[in-house]
Amino acid sequence: HPWETVTTAAMQKYPNPMNPSVVGVDVLQRHVDAGGKLHSHRLLSTEWGIPAIVKSLIGTCRTKTYIQEHSVVDPVEKTMELKSSNISFTNLVSVDERLVYKPHPQEPDKTVLTQEAIISVKGVSLSSYLEGLMANTISSNAKKGREALEWVINRLNAEIEEFAASARGTMRNPMAAAAFVEK
Amino acid sequence: MNSVGEACTELKREYDQCFNRWFAEKFLKGESAGDPCGQLFKRYQLCVQKAIKEKDIPIEGLEFMGPSKGKTESSS
């Protein structure tokens, strides 16, 4: 999909069925800087099933994790960069992610996503099992992320079509109906 | 999508609608001058800030509502 489509979808990524644990999104701050780039700071609230073993280590019944996300959209250079890190009441495991969306250099109708994640475990030395679990989750989340955007893009397209169809509906013209179905 | 503060969800929706339209129709096409959503954003922001304080969410290094530096309050 072209970069503009992907960027628009990324700004409206939640809710989507691939990320059911994201329960809240808020914009904390937003401004356009002197270079024309849009900076947004957002807070994401997530609820995910924390395994009992982690709960017993953490010793808390708070299950919400918050993620702080800073995104920069440059409409001239056509780049979108997202940096996010989780903030939680325990600060035991922190995950920093960086995503960059750019138009594909050879195929302008496509977008390239580069994604990296840094997992840090502080304090208690957690078993490598848990670290492995997080790494797997992150790489499957990367795939989910692409699927999620695909879902949002389809939804946005469906909304546009619905709007166009209802606008055409007032004409009651069989030609228009055929054109819409033919796609 | 809900807001972190339950009371803010409606304000958030109004602002989001305004922003998403501006973003796709103006900003990405290079017309970033003029933000039609400023008022909606301010109202939504006030609500969110209150909710964050109430829930004690530790947000680092952010200045809310524009450049107001040097206003760090170490309360409680």
Side-chain angles (χ1 to χ4, degrees), chain B:
Chain B
M1 186 85 269
N2 292 335
S3 167
V4 66
E6 294 77 17
C8 314
T9 296
E10 196 44 52
L11 288 170
K12 173 187 134 66
R13 272 199 201 129
E14 279 179 22
Y15 166 70
D16 275 350
Q17 264 182 350
C18 178
F19 170 76
N20 288 330
R21 205 176 303 137
W22 171 82
F23 183 77
E25 292 171 15
K26 299 269 171 173
F27 180 72
L28 285 185
K29 305 200 172 153
E31 310 164 26
S32 59
D35 177 12
C37 314
Q39 273 299 97
L40 286 170
F41 188 58
K42 282 200 182 105
R43 283 211 309 254
Y44 162 52
Q45 273 297 284
L46 281 169
C47 185
V48 169
Q49 275 182 51
K50 220 172 90 188
I52 286 173
K53 279 212 183 90
E54 278 166 15
K55 300 196 181 206
D56 227 357
I57 302 172
I59 313 254
E60 294 170 25
L62 269 192
E63 306 155 8
F64 287 108
M65 304 255 276
S68 51
K69 300 198 175 125
K71 273 211 132 198
T72 41
E73 16 172 323
S74 42
S75 55
S76 84

Side-chain angles (χ1 to χ4, degrees), chain A residues 20-179:
Chain A
S21 55
V22 177
V23 298
V25 180
D26 281 293
V27 182
L28 299 176
Q29 209 235 63
R30 182 169 266 152
H31 70 277
V32 179
D33 69 13
K37 296 187 241 196
L38 179 72
H39 292 253
S40 309
H41 287 266
R42 303 206 299 183
L43 178 72
L44 278 58
S45 322
T46 68
E47 286 253 22
W48 49 293
I50 298 183
I53 183 170
V54 181
K55 267 191 186 159
S56 65
L57 287 171
I58 290 174
T60 178
C61 53
R62 292 196 237 215
T63 53
K64 274 224 179 91
T65 305
Y66 295 100
I67 299 167
Q68 207 168 328
E69 178 202 85
H70 175 206
S71 61
V72 186
V73 183
D74 186 339
V76 177
E77 293 294 311
K78 298 209 184 178
T79 64
M80 175 175 187
E81 182 172 343
L82 282 133
K83 281 196 202 140
S84 66
S85 61
N86 65 337
I87 40 176
S88 66
F89 295 100
T90 62
N91 276 332
L92 196 65
V93 177
S94 64
V95 181
D96 295 289
E97 272 203 318
R98 184 171 171 256
L99 289 80
V100 183
Y101 293 98
K102 286 190 186 165
H104 192 290
Q106 277 87 44
E107 298 177 68
D109 264 355
K110 293 195 179 151
T111 305
V112 176
L113 165 65
T114 342
Q115 188 168 1
E116 50 186 345
I118 304 166
I119 313 163
S120 333
V121 179
K122 308 181 217 191
V124 179
S125 127
L126 288 177
S127 71
S128 57
Y129 165 76
L130 194 57
E131 286 178 5
L133 182 70
M134 297 233 61
N136 279 340
T137 305
I138 284 172
S139 78
S140 75
N141 275 352
K143 177 161 175 280
K144 263 202 296 183
R146 288 194 295 278
E147 286 171 0
L149 279 198
E150 195 65 51
W151 183 90
V152 176
I153 289 169
N154 284 333
R155 190 202 64 171
L156 290 176
N157 283 340
E159 281 172 10
I160 293 172
E161 276 186 15
E162 211 178 282
F163 180 74
S166 69
R168 275 198 290 260
T170 53
M171 286 175 24
R172 301 228 142 229
N173 187 340
M175 287 290 283

